[in-house]
Amino acid sequence: KKDGMKIFLDIDKFFDRPLKTTLQLYGEFQVLNAALAALVVKSIFPDISESIIEQGLNKTHLQARFEIIEKTDLLPKIIIDGAHTFRSLNFTLETLEAMKFKKMNLIFSCAADKNMEQMIPLFFKSKTVFQNIFVTLPGFIKQGNFPQLKKLFSESVNKHKTKTKCFYNENCLEAIKLAIESSKKNNLPLLCIGSFYLASELKNEISSMIPNQEN
């Protein structure tokens, strides 16, 4: 939800009472991070109050970590996540499933040194169906391996006999525009994942479309 994820941390050995707050971050992994952060703060500042820790957790915001940009007249709902490993990508997909995202569009890229063979099949095993997948390069700084990406996505589509349509464009700016246009036209949320470089390019495009959009 846009207003965050309510959490309850009961760590009675360290705190006078359970911590109750709302994270602006999503997913089980972020709950574990919040618990660890609270413990570290309490260890360093043992006299700090539980309410201050709750306020700090509530105000914590990380760009491109399951960052949700709400639907507007110009944009579809967009979720931006820099997950670029098998483990982190799997966490993101589990969060999508928990939040009942049933059908989406996807724009994906990753650096050439990432384990594409492990990551790409996850999209076709997920309970969230990706109707259109836009495959591109991770911006203009980080090196990618576009032929390998194209090969692996094509193989996954054939293997899983899915109706998913894949669109391949080495120019990430063109791919981003096509992904946004398709998502808006088909009223589908858009997931951008696989690279913080790609996430940055997408956020720059959003800013150019809506100048007052927070980055």
Side-chain angles (χ1 to χ4, degrees):
K1 295 180 180 180
K2 186 178 180 180
D3 57 354
M5 179 175 64
K6 296 184 186 300
I7 63 168
F8 179 90
L9 300 176
D10 190 1
I11 319 174
D12 54 0
K13 290 183 179 179
F14 298 91
F15 299 95
D16 295 334
R17 62 170 176 78
L19 300 178
K20 299 178 184 179
T21 190
T22 301
L23 289 180
Q24 304 307 313
L25 307 168
Y26 297 85
E28 181 181 353
F29 191 65
Q30 298 301 345
V31 178
L32 298 175
N33 284 340
L36 179 60
L39 286 170
V40 169
V41 170
K42 192 67 174 178
S43 298
I44 298 173
F45 305 102
D47 296 328
I48 194 170
S49 71
E50 280 70 23
S51 62
I52 290 177
I53 294 176
E54 289 167 340
Q55 291 174 33
L57 292 174
N58 174 257
K59 293 180 180 179
T60 300
H61 176 77
L62 292 174
Q63 292 195 49
R65 283 297 188 189
F66 213 93
E67 180 180 359
I68 299 177
I69 296 175
E70 288 298 318
K71 180 179 179 180
T72 68
D73 290 340
L74 295 176
L75 295 172
K77 176 176 280 190
I78 300 175
I79 297 174
I80 305 175
D81 199 300
H84 53 271
T85 66
F86 174 85
R87 185 166 179 262
S88 60
L89 198 154
N90 200 45
F91 271 123
T92 299
L93 294 177
E94 287 177 353
T95 302
L96 286 174
E97 292 172 12
M99 295 177 70
K100 309 298 183 185
F101 281 94
K102 295 182 178 180
K103 188 180 290 187
M104 306 183 73
N105 276 352
L106 167 71
I107 181 165
F108 178 87
S109 189
C110 65
D113 60 349
K114 300 305 176 185
N115 194 332
M116 294 174 258
E117 291 82 359
Q118 272 194 329
M119 292 192 293
I120 290 171
L122 289 176
F123 296 115
F124 299 89
K125 297 174 182 178
S126 171
K127 291 181 181 178
T128 301
V129 175
F130 295 98
Q131 184 167 306
N132 300 296
I133 298 178
F134 299 83
V135 182
T136 187
L137 286 174
F140 302 98
I141 300 174
K142 195 72 171 179
Q143 183 178 1
N145 187 338
F146 190 75
Q148 182 69 352
L149 279 173
K150 187 174 181 179
K151 175 178 177 289
L152 291 171
F153 270 103
S154 296
E155 288 176 351
S156 288
V157 168
N158 292 331
K159 178 180 178 180
H160 293 275
K161 296 183 170 134
T162 175
K163 294 182 180 179
T164 296
K165 295 181 180 179
C166 290
F167 302 88
Y168 305 99
N169 192 323
E170 294 185 62
N171 186 310
C172 69
L173 297 182
E174 292 179 1
I176 286 169
K177 290 176 182 177
L178 289 171
I180 290 175
E181 181 181 335
S182 170
S183 301
K184 184 182 173 186
K185 178 180 178 181
N186 295 290
N187 195 28
L188 289 172
L190 173 64
L191 172 66
C192 172
I193 199 168
S195 167
F196 281 107
Y197 293 91
L198 180 63
S200 176
E201 295 293 348
L202 175 58
K203 294 202 73 174
N204 286 338
E205 177 63 22
I206 291 171
S207 294
S208 70
M209 295 175 69
I210 308 176
N212 63 348
Q213 176 70 44
E214 291 185 4
N215 285 312

